[in-house]
Structure formats: structure tokens, C-alpha cells
Amino acid sequence: MDRFSDWDWENPEELAVRMEEFSAGVADCEKLEAISGTLPHSREDFLALGLTGIEFAAFKTAHPQGLGTDITPLTGPGATTEPGTLYRVDGERCFTQLDISRPLPFADASVDWVYAEHLIEHVPLPVALGWLRECHRVLRPGGVLRITTPDLRRYLAGYVNDDGFLGRHRRRLSMLGFGPPMPERKAFLVNQIFRYYGHQWIYDQEELEYVLGEAGFGPEAVQLCAYREGMHTEIADLDTAFRSDETIYVEACRRT
């Protein structure tokens, strides 16, 4: 039987359930070990573990000095993560389960960098603002926040200019096996970025600058970047290639 035989792209409520199943399905690892019942709190705690920053929405960060976090539990053989505990994933990376709608359990000025790829669009605007304020708080002066998210301008330009972007986006998702081919209608392809994947708020550069400003990052501290380009190569290299055509990249530096 075709695994997509009952998949209806035009039923967002039904697809929301499928997206939750998909997320749970990728939250697996080969080895999961509890390191400690307590999380690093101060900068000294982070450095003692060889950690310098945090990657949100990452079960296993690619940064060797990063702490990966996600709201979804990570599962390994005979073990499932619980909030408040630090874990080692596959013997390589650190992970803890966090809910970004709550205050971060870390001290002021405790990390050098924060990275989040395609996370901020999944929460309502007030939650995003609260999380960004927390990111500003836990960053050291000179620390960098890098955010990537679907670019509203790119989608609307693709609709108005009929420049082929929406068709390429549709084909990319099909090639990734993410459901059957989407309808080709341009209005559908714009609407899906608002309605699907648990998205709550879609940003352009101006909207990102607004929320970052509200979080404490002044206008001079925010800059538009390109794919895998930024103030620190090892942080920008966390960008994944398959999302680059639809993504806006922004960095913000904590000044004081």
C-alpha cells in the first residue's frame, strides 16, 4: 500500500498529527547516557563540560562544543530523556530537553553563542519574544545569536514574480520524501508555509529586527547574513543546505 495513499495536503489538522509522528520518529539515537541530574548553570559549569554555546531544536548538534536542546524527548535503547537532566548522545554530544516557552535554566552571561535553525517560526510571537530575551540574557558580552527561519519575502516574491521559487520548493520537499507531491497552485504553496509544520509566525528581515530589538539587541547589533556566512565560521557552518533557498539568516551580537 502506498504510504501516502491517505495523505491530504489540504487538511492541515490531519497533517498536524502526521508532523508530530514524524518528529517523534526522528528523535532516536543509538546510545543515550545520563551525564548528570543537574544542568550546567554558570559559564564555569559549561566550560568544565567543554561547552561554549547552545543549539536549539537539535537532538544532536554538529558543533563539538555545543549543547543540543529540543522540546521533544530523545530516545535511545532503554532510555528517554527527561527535562532537567544532561545526556550524552551517541558518546559524542550533550543534550537536554528544554521548553523555550519557559525561562532558560542557565545563568546570565553563561555562553558565547546561541544557534537556532527554523525554530522561531514554530512558536507564537509572545513566546518568541520571551525566548529571545532569555537568549540575550545568557549570552556573554560579545556573544552571538544566529537565527535562521523561512523568509516571508522570498515566498511572496515567488508568488508575485512567478520566478520559479515556489515550484523548486515543491520539488525539494518531494525529493526529500516529505509526503506526496504538493498541489502546484501558487496560493497553496504560499499558504502551506503559514499553515503547516506547526508554524505560528513567519518573518521577514524587518520583523526579525523588530523582535531582536525588543529582546535587547540594538539595531547596530543585528546583521543580515548569507548561508554559512557569519561572524564565526563554526557557528554559521551549522546551517543545513537543503533549506538554504527559502531561508533568511540573521545574527545579533550582545554588546554589553
Side-chain angles (χ1 to χ4, degrees):
M1 181 178 177
D2 183 354
R3 63 193 176 108
F4 298 132
S5 60
D6 61 345
W7 186 295
D8 182 3
W9 274 116
E10 299 186 25
N11 186 337
E13 288 71 26
E14 174 189 317
L15 287 175
V17 176
R18 288 189 179 259
M19 299 303 172
E20 289 181 6
E21 294 171 350
F22 176 81
S23 295
V26 299
D28 293 321
C29 62
E30 295 180 1
K31 186 178 181 182
L32 185 63
E33 307 165 279
I35 301 174
S36 169
T38 59
L39 299 179
H41 182 68
S42 67
R43 174 164 174 76
E44 290 71 27
D45 294 339
F46 273 88
L47 292 177
L49 290 163
L51 303 175
T52 57
I54 306 167
E55 181 177 358
F56 288 89
F59 296 124
K60 186 177 178 181
T61 176
H63 196 297
Q65 295 177 302
L67 171 62
T69 78
D70 199 273
I71 191 172
T72 301
L74 181 59
T75 301
T80 300
T81 60
E82 297 181 357
T85 299
L86 183 67
Y87 296 87
R88 184 82 65 187
V89 181
D90 294 334
E92 295 178 335
R93 301 289 188 262
C94 291
F95 173 87
T96 192
Q97 191 178 330
L98 282 181
D99 181 351
I100 67 166
S101 69
R102 299 179 179 181
L104 299 179
F106 310 122
D108 297 356
S110 53
V111 296
D112 294 329
W113 58 271
V114 171
Y115 178 89
E117 181 176 60
H118 285 237
L119 168 66
I120 194 171
E121 70 272 14
H122 289 272
V123 296
L125 188 59
V127 173
L129 285 167
W131 171 67
L132 290 172
R133 291 185 181 108
E134 283 292 279
C135 290
H136 184 272
R137 179 183 66 79
V138 302
L139 279 172
R140 298 181 66 219
V144 176
L145 166 65
R146 184 176 177 92
I147 293 175
T148 86
T149 188
D151 187 356
L152 175 60
R153 179 180 292 275
R154 190 70 192 88
Y155 276 86
L156 297 188
Y159 176 85
V160 172
N161 300 330
D162 200 15
D163 58 10
F165 165 75
L166 294 175
R168 291 193 299 274
H169 172 71
R170 175 180 177 272
R171 289 191 296 273
R172 176 172 56 83
L173 290 179
S174 293
M175 289 174 61
L176 292 170
F178 197 69
M182 287 181 175
E184 297 184 51
R185 306 189 314 272
K186 291 196 302 178
F188 174 88
L189 291 166
V190 171
N191 271 287
Q192 55 88 31
I193 200 64
F194 290 96
R195 294 281 287 166
Y196 295 145
Y197 327 111
H199 288 178
Q200 300 288 319
W201 199 264
I202 307 300
Y203 295 80
D204 61 3
Q205 181 179 350
E206 181 182 13
E207 192 74 351
L208 284 170
E209 289 172 347
Y210 165 75
V211 293
L212 288 166
E214 290 293 302
F217 297 94
E220 73 289 347
V222 179
Q223 67 176 23
L224 185 66
C225 301
Y227 167 66
R228 290 195 173 178
E229 293 182 6
M231 285 184 271
H232 301 284
T233 301
E234 73 278 7
I235 300 171
D237 279 350
L238 296 172
D239 298 343
T240 54
F242 78 91
R243 287 171 162 163
S244 60
D245 68 325
E246 66 168 337
T247 298
I248 182 171
Y249 303 88
V250 171
E251 289 187 348
C253 181
R254 178 173 176 176
R255 297 302 191 191
T256 59

